[in-house]
């Protein structure tokens, strides 16, 4: 059974930081590209950033220079470090695992991030 479990969300003031974690089980973690997405109320789900199995990253323009994705293959966990948070970063953040080799795609349940004073 595949599970992706996000944690670390919460309420933070503008300019603050949060670190999200996504713990995976039931997959060969090292072979998956891991992604963070976010969805605000009434809006579509948007890509935040990706990290390949080899550690290559890319980010949405809106978060470049503020957010950093990393992964620990031994712990089967991917992280999203979010700095200089803005109110427009408020959303549910979801973890994704994707394998082009097997064409499989999995989602976590999401964690709420609210940026407000």
């Amino acid at each position: 059974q595949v599970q992706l479990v996000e944690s670390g969300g919460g309420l933070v003031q503008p300019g603050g930081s949060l670190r999200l974690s996504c713990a995976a089980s039931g997959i060969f973690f090292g072979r998956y590209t891991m992604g963070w997405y976010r969805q605000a109320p009434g809006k579509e789900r948007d890509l935040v950033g990706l990290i390949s199995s080899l550690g290559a990253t890319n980010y949405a323009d809106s978060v470049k220079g503020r957010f950093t994705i990393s992964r620990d293959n031994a712990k089967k966990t991917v992280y999203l470090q979010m700095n200089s948070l803005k109110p427009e970063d408020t959303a549910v953040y979801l973890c994704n695992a994707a394998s082009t080799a097997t064409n499989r795609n999995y989602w976590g349940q999401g964690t709420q991030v609210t940026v407000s004073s």
Side-chain angles (χ1 to χ4, degrees):
Q1 181 183 0
V2 178
Q3 281 193 312
L4 300 177
V5 180
E6 301 97 334
S7 61
L11 173 64
V12 63
Q13 292 186 341
S17 298
L18 279 177
R19 189 195 195 202
L20 306 184
S21 300
C22 171
S25 60
I27 61 172
F28 198 134
F29 184 80
R31 293 181 180 175
Y32 280 74
T33 291
M34 301 301 296
W36 285 99
Y37 292 74
R38 65 187 182 186
Q39 188 165 19
K43 295 189 176 181
E44 294 186 352
R45 186 173 296 182
D46 292 327
L47 174 68
V48 174
L50 299 171
I51 184 165
S52 74
S53 58
L54 297 178
T57 56
N58 61 71
Y59 301 93
D61 287 344
S62 59
V63 307
K64 280 181 182 176
R66 301 187 298 123
F67 290 11
T68 303
I69 296 176
S70 60
R71 65 190 294 161
D72 185 331
N73 287 343
K75 294 183 178 180
K76 296 187 176 182
T77 301
V78 61
Y79 305 97
L80 180 66
Q81 178 67 43
M82 305 185 292
N83 299 329
S84 303
L85 282 161
K86 305 175 182 180
E88 51 263 43
D89 294 319
T90 295
V92 174
Y93 283 71
L94 302 107
C95 177
N96 175 266
S99 170
T100 55
T102 62
N103 203 30
R104 293 180 178 177
N105 198 310
Y106 303 103
W107 291 93
Q109 83 289 347
T111 185
Q112 176 70 46
V113 171
T114 302
V115 185
S116 175
S117 55

